[in-house]
Amino acid sequence: APMRVRGVLALRPARPRWLLIPEQAQQLDTLARQIAIAVERVHYVEVAQQAVVDIESERLRNALLGALSHDVRTPLTALIALAESLRTLPPALAGEQAQAVQAIVAQARALNALVSNLLDMARLESGVAGGAVNLRRDWQSVEEVVGAALRAAAPALGTHEVQARIPPDLPLVEFDAVLIERVLVNLLENAARYGAPPIVVAARALPQALEISVRDHGPGLPATWRGRAQGLFEKFTRGEAESATPGVGLGLAICKAIVQAHGGEIVAGDAEAD
C-alpha cells in the first residue's frame, strides 16, 4: 500500500501458464494494490475513530477535573480550616473532644491529599502523553529544595529521625523546583509510612545527571515485588494490597511522571546494609 506493506496475497491459479502473460501479471498486480489500499483505508478509519474517542475522553477528563477542583477541594479546604479553628476556641477542648478535632483534621487532610493526587496524576499523565508538561525550569540549589521538602513532609514524618547528606560543593541543577519538591515529599511520606528511621536523603553529582536518593531502614520491599520493583510506580499499585496503611497507590506514579517529564529515571530497590 502507499504507506507500508499491509499483507501477503497468495494465488492458486487454475491455469498457471496465464501468469506468464504480461497483461495478466499487470492486472493481478493492480488488483493487489487496490486491495492493499482498501485495507489501509480501513486501518486509518479505525485510527481516526480512536482519535475522536481520545479527544472526547480528554474533554470529559477536563470537565471532571474542573468539577473535582471546585466541588471537592473547596469544601475540603473549608472543613480543614473550621476543624483547626476549634482548637483555639475558649475554653480549650480537652480529652475526647480534642482527639475528635484532631481526627477530623487528619482525615480531612488525608482526603484533600487524595484528591490532589488524583488531579495531579490526571494532569501529569495527560501532559506526558501529549508532550506538553509545563516545566518551570530554573537553576536550583538541591539543598534548598530538600529543605523545603522536609518542611512540607514534617506532619507525616512526625518524630522520625531524618538525615540530609547533601555535599556542600553540589552544583546548581536546572529543574522545576515545585515538582521535584513534590517528588521528595511523596518519597519521604512513603518512607515514614512503610519504613523505619533513620530516613536518609542523599544527593550526588554524576557526570551527566544528578542522583537523589531517599532511604529508610525498614524491612525493604515485600517479597512479592522483589525483581519487579518498577511495577510499584504504576498507577493504583501498592506494595501490599491489603495494607492497613491508607492510600490508593498514586504517590509513586506521580513521582515517576514528574521525573520522566524531566528526562530522568526513578527506581526502587532494597538498600545495602550500612
Side-chain angles (χ1 to χ4, degrees), residues 124 132-140 145 173-181 258 261-262:
L124 285 167
V133 177
N134 184 22
L135 295 178
R136 297 181 179 179
R137 292 177 179 266
D138 202 355
W139 293 100
Q140 309 287 350
V145 175
V173 183
E174 189 181 22
F175 56 79
D176 187 315
V178 174
L179 291 181
I180 295 300
E181 179 185 328
I258 292 173
H262 282 80

Side-chain angles (χ1 to χ4, degrees), residues 86-160:
L86 292 176
R87 299 175 177 176
T88 62
L89 289 177
L93 297 174
E96 294 182 358
Q97 289 180 319
Q99 293 178 0
V101 171
Q102 291 176 357
I104 292 172
V105 173
Q107 292 301 319
R109 287 187 180 280
L111 186 55
N112 187 54
L114 171 60
V115 172
S116 297
N117 279 344
L118 287 169
L119 293 171
D120 290 346
M121 189 68 249
R123 291 193 185 103
L124 285 167
E125 187 178 50
S126 175
V128 170
V133 177
N134 184 22
L135 295 178
R136 297 181 179 179
R137 292 177 179 266
D138 202 355
W139 293 100
Q140 309 287 350
S141 165
V142 176
E143 185 177 9
E144 290 181 4
V145 175
V146 170
L150 289 173
R151 289 191 293 272
L157 292 171
T159 59
H160 284 71

Side-chain angles (χ1 to χ4, degrees), residues 217-237:
H217 289 72
L221 294 174
T224 54
W225 286 100
R226 285 175 185 156
R228 56 188 190 95
Q230 289 307 105
L232 290 169
F233 294 97
E234 299 302 320
K235 298 186 300 296
F236 305 108
T237 300

Side-chain angles (χ1 to χ4, degrees), residues 175-198:
F175 56 79
D176 187 315
V178 174
L179 291 181
I180 295 300
E181 179 185 328
R182 182 64 184 277
V183 171
L184 292 173
V185 169
N186 283 354
L187 295 178
L188 287 166
E189 290 177 348
N190 266 19
R193 277 197 203 106
Y194 304 107

